[in-house]
Amino acid sequence: MSSAVPQRPYTFHIASSWAGKPELPQTFTKTPFAPNSPIGAWRDKMLTRKPGSSTEVWYPSAGEDFFFIQEMKNASGVSFGVADGVGGWVDSGIDPSLFSQALMYHAHRYTRNAWAGEPEIDPTLDYAEREEVEGWELTPYECLDLAFGGVCRERLVQAGSSTAVLLSLNASSGLLRTANLGDSGFLIIRSSSVFYRQAVQTHFLNCPFQLTKLPAKDVRRFSRACIDSPSAAAKFETTLRHGDIIIAYTDGLSDNVFPSEILNIVSLVGRSGLPESSQAQSIADRLISHARHCMFNKYRVSPFEQAAARDGKFFRGGKIDDVTVVVAIVNETL
């Protein structure tokens, strides 16, 4: 049976960037995933820049955020996502980064063996050979549920919560499918304007929908914890066009940077003369830099300040947080 990867109508330039917020003194000792463990080794690989690139030396940690980028079975598409560990668990002696890292690890693990659409079967093969086609179609909605199940089985993740947004891009049809739970999100830029922006899901201000794992003992202490099911995730799909730009982000971006500013950064990179293959990384890095600049400015009106005002609460300036983005630029080749 032939294993050649067919040429597909769509390709994607994808890049990530991140910055953890300054760490405060902790009342407990954090125990990260060991570098030689499956999740620890994968985490360190994801946080390693390409040698020799201008951004090789970057923020060493994504903080309580994490992300994944994964080519899907037989180059049928690509899947990516971001997750934001809920920081409130620190007060209970829980490291929130373990949950978000494990969630993204399991999302990567499930998508690498799955197809972006229906498994492709060569019609010239006989029935027995068709039966040998491996893998299955996996939507972001299904992947979120499977990845959360993986986290629940992780013994090193004693407890925690996280928001998440997962996306898949189909290289054959150009179909974008997404699943979003909480206040991480994504937007699509088309023809220099925001074509679509994912609405946030919150219980109340600064309390997003979140996947939650409670500790095995003393559950009563967490009776007020927000517990949302993967089935509560908002689903969206659309067919992409050449030149579309998809930006997935944690709320460290959306709480500090307005959509109009994102458009300005994308436009600036588009006029920079960079090759298309380098533009996604430039957009991602500039978004992180700008978000960092804004979150430490207490004299600038921020999106979070406006959201607080609509809720009758006072908040001034930027909101200091971890920030992570994944940027994809669509290239229609056929």
Side-chain angles (χ1 to χ4, degrees):
M1 184 166 55
S2 173
S3 59
V5 176
Q7 186 178 8
R8 303 185 189 280
Y10 293 87
T11 59
F12 311 102
H13 300 296
I14 301 182
S16 58
S17 199
W18 60 87
K21 62 180 178 289
E23 287 207 18
L24 299 173
Q26 300 296 330
T27 57
F28 69 98
T29 302
K30 293 183 177 180
T31 305
F33 292 109
N36 61 349
S37 68
I39 297 180
W42 175 81
R43 173 203 60 211
D44 294 345
K45 180 180 177 182
M46 293 300 296
L47 294 176
T48 301
R49 294 287 185 153
K50 184 181 294 185
S53 68
S54 60
T55 54
E56 182 181 357
V57 180
W58 197 241
Y59 301 100
S61 166
E64 292 158 4
D65 288 357
F66 217 72
F67 65 98
F68 82 100
I69 302 169
Q70 180 62 51
E71 184 175 78
M72 301 186 75
K73 184 81 174 179
N74 205 34
S76 59
V78 65
S79 182
F80 59 90
V82 298
D84 180 2
V86 175
W89 283 97
V90 169
D91 298 332
S92 301
I94 301 295
D95 181 355
S97 69
L98 298 182
F99 192 106
S100 57
Q101 290 172 16
L103 185 67
M104 294 293 93
Y105 169 77
H106 285 291
H108 131 82
R109 188 171 66 86
Y110 281 109
T111 55
R112 69 183 174 186
N113 294 317
W115 295 77
E118 290 187 11
E120 297 165 358
I121 300 174
D122 186 342
T124 63
L125 299 176
D126 61 32
Y127 184 79
E129 289 177 312
R130 292 185 189 191
E131 287 290 296
E132 294 177 18
V133 173
E134 298 178 347
W136 58 93
E137 180 179 5
L138 185 68
T139 69
Y141 185 77
E142 294 164 337
C143 182
L144 183 63
D145 185 50
L146 290 169
F148 177 55
V151 175
C152 291
R153 292 187 295 273
E154 285 290 343
R155 287 180 292 179
L156 290 178
V157 182
Q158 297 177 2
S161 303
S162 180
T163 66
V165 57
L166 305 186
L167 307 89
S168 70
L169 314 178
N170 189 314
S172 294
S173 65
L175 181 66
L176 165 71
R177 296 192 286 195
T178 74
N180 182 81
L181 187 81
D183 59 1
S184 294
F186 71 95
L187 56 78
I188 304 170
I189 297 174
R190 176 175 293 170
S191 302
S192 302
S193 62
V194 176
F195 168 72
Y196 180 83
R197 184 185 182 199
Q198 177 63 50
V200 300
Q201 296 175 309
T202 59
H203 295 286
F204 49 85
L205 181 69
N206 213 28
C207 181
F209 283 27
Q210 54 202 264
L211 300 174
T212 299
K213 179 180 181 180
L214 295 178
K217 298 179 180 179
D218 202 13
V219 175
R220 289 185 179 180
R221 280 181 57 204
F222 306 96
S223 59
R224 299 180 64 185
C226 293
I227 302 175
D228 298 292
S229 166
S231 63
K235 294 181 284 187
F236 173 79
E237 64 178 55
T238 190
T239 300
L240 298 168
R241 297 179 184 175
H242 179 76
D244 282 355
I245 299 173
I246 304 100
I247 303 173
Y249 49 79
T250 57
D251 65 339
L253 181 77
S254 54
D255 282 342
N256 291 292
V257 180
F258 290 97
S260 60
E261 296 175 289
I262 295 175
L263 286 175
N264 288 339
I265 288 171
V266 169
S267 177
L268 183 66
V269 172
R271 299 194 306 269
S272 67
L274 284 171
E276 193 175 75
S277 58
S278 302
Q279 289 185 18
Q281 189 64 66
S282 182
I283 291 170
D285 289 342
R286 285 172 181 261
L287 287 173
I288 295 298
S289 249
H290 187 59
R292 294 268 295 179
H293 173 77
C294 294
M295 70 175 63
F296 292 107
N297 187 340
K298 288 298 178 185
Y299 301 99
R300 175 187 181 275
V301 175
S302 68
F304 187 80
E305 178 179 337
Q306 291 185 344
R310 287 193 296 269
D311 206 48
K313 295 180 174 60
F314 175 76
F315 185 92
R316 186 174 183 181
K319 182 172 178 282
I320 298 173
D321 202 355
D322 307 312
V323 55
T324 300
V325 299
V326 179
V327 176
I329 300 177
V330 180
N331 184 25
E332 198 168 355
T333 57
L334 296 179

